[in-house]
Amino acid sequence: MAKKNSFQIAIDGPVAAGKGTVSRLVADKLGFLYVDTGAMYRVTALIGIRNQIDLSNQDQLAPLVKKATIHMRNPNSQEKDGRLTTVLLDNEDVSWVIRTEDVSQGASKVAVHPQVRSVLVEKQQQIALEQDVVMEGRDITYRVLPQADLKIYLTANDVVRAKRRHHDLLTKGVDIEFDEVYKDLLERDHRDQSRSVDPLQIVEDAWVIDTSDISIQQVVALIVSKVELMSTVG
């Protein structure tokens, strides 16, 4: 990877740990770009679905993803509709298209492919070289940005995370029982932690923050204070 001239905050953690909201707010306060790498896997699933490709076929998926232009930016004044980030696929705004349940399920399937991950990691690293970022996902601290200035592992206990996920789905109008959400969350945790390529893990130099009993605002304040202290010392 080329030499970086930016400040990089890398955040990993399981689903519903609050990574997206925390990352977005931290980025806002620091004036950084928020990068949701999970959105890139959602875009990959969308590409596969639109091209009627079997999502288990990485040989067909990877070249299409490599050719695609995936751009991310902080929402502008016309895009304040609840989105955390604006995602463009070949200049088409797909920020909400990739949040459907079909695409969500597809993202989990394509994320296990080494070829797809390799292509997306390269795109993610290029973004982080060009500007200060808060980048979150499952493999950011050790695979995507191993030289990040600050590495964080954001987590919470599984019941708390399932409750958050359930509330989020109900808010979006999805009629689903808590037990189903909880079961799905445990299965997703297992997939993330046991996959052969880039499994979810805590690196030795990561700052572990458990959000089970503290508010989003408190987590954001902790991280911003840490970055400001690092900048002062540096």
Side-chain angles (χ1 to χ4, degrees):
M1 192 168 73
K3 186 178 184 299
K4 74 183 183 72
N5 296 300
S6 57
F7 194 101
Q8 300 173 351
I9 301 174
I11 302 181
D12 284 333
V15 63
K19 297 191 305 298
T21 303
V22 167
S23 298
R24 167 80 266 177
L25 293 173
V26 168
D28 278 347
K29 288 187 177 294
L30 295 173
F32 288 14
L33 172 67
Y34 161 55
V35 182
D36 171 13
T37 60
M40 290 185 158
Y41 290 95
R42 289 171 178 270
V43 169
T44 299
L46 180 64
I47 290 171
I49 291 169
R50 285 183 169 180
N51 286 276
Q52 298 182 317
I53 294 172
D54 184 342
L55 297 185
S56 65
N57 191 332
Q58 64 173 329
D59 291 332
Q60 287 188 319
L61 272 174
L64 289 178
V65 177
K66 189 175 182 67
K67 187 173 68 173
T69 300
I70 303 172
H71 183 65
M72 305 182 81
R73 66 164 186 257
N74 294 336
N76 61 35
S77 57
Q78 282 77 49
E79 297 166 344
K80 302 294 184 180
D81 54 7
R83 68 183 65 186
L84 293 177
T85 188
T86 292
V87 183
L88 303 174
L89 170 59
D90 296 328
N91 293 319
E92 175 194 354
D93 185 346
V94 295
S95 306
W96 287 115
V97 178
I98 61 172
R99 299 296 166 182
T100 62
E101 200 56 35
D102 281 352
V103 174
S104 295
Q105 293 296 326
S108 182
K109 295 175 183 176
V110 302
V112 302
H113 299 323
Q115 290 179 43
V116 169
R117 297 191 72 85
S118 179
V119 169
L120 291 182
V121 165
E122 188 175 325
K123 290 178 182 289
Q124 292 154 11
Q125 289 175 335
Q126 190 58 46
I127 291 172
L129 284 176
E130 297 166 354
Q131 54 203 305
D132 299 332
V133 296
V134 181
M135 187 175 290
E136 57 101 343
R138 302 287 195 279
D139 60 351
I140 312 306
T141 57
Y142 67 93
R143 175 83 160 93
V144 183
L145 302 179
Q147 304 303 318
D149 300 271
L150 178 59
K151 299 177 183 180
I152 298 169
Y153 188 88
L154 208 61
T155 189
N157 72 60
D158 51 17
V159 174
V160 169
R161 291 189 291 117
K163 286 180 178 177
R164 290 174 181 169
R165 177 69 175 148
H166 187 228
H167 174 74
D168 185 45
L169 289 171
L170 292 179
T171 301
K172 293 176 180 176
V174 179
D175 184 17
I176 189 170
E177 295 294 327
F178 172 78
D179 287 348
E180 186 177 345
V181 174
Y182 184 58
K183 179 173 178 287
D184 180 65
L185 180 136
L186 293 180
E187 289 175 352
R188 189 163 171 182
D189 281 354
H190 178 70
R191 284 199 303 270
D192 287 341
Q193 293 165 3
S194 61
R195 65 180 176 228
S196 58
V197 180
D198 301 332
L200 178 63
Q201 58 184 281
I202 305 175
V203 296
E204 188 176 340
D205 55 343
W207 177 21
V208 179
I209 304 177
D210 190 319
T211 68
S212 300
D213 300 312
I214 56 177
S215 70
I216 292 294
Q217 289 73 22
Q218 288 173 310
V219 177
V220 171
L222 279 172
I223 296 172
V224 171
S225 295
K226 178 84 167 177
V227 174
E228 290 175 342
L229 180 61
M230 290 173 67
S231 300
T232 302
V233 173

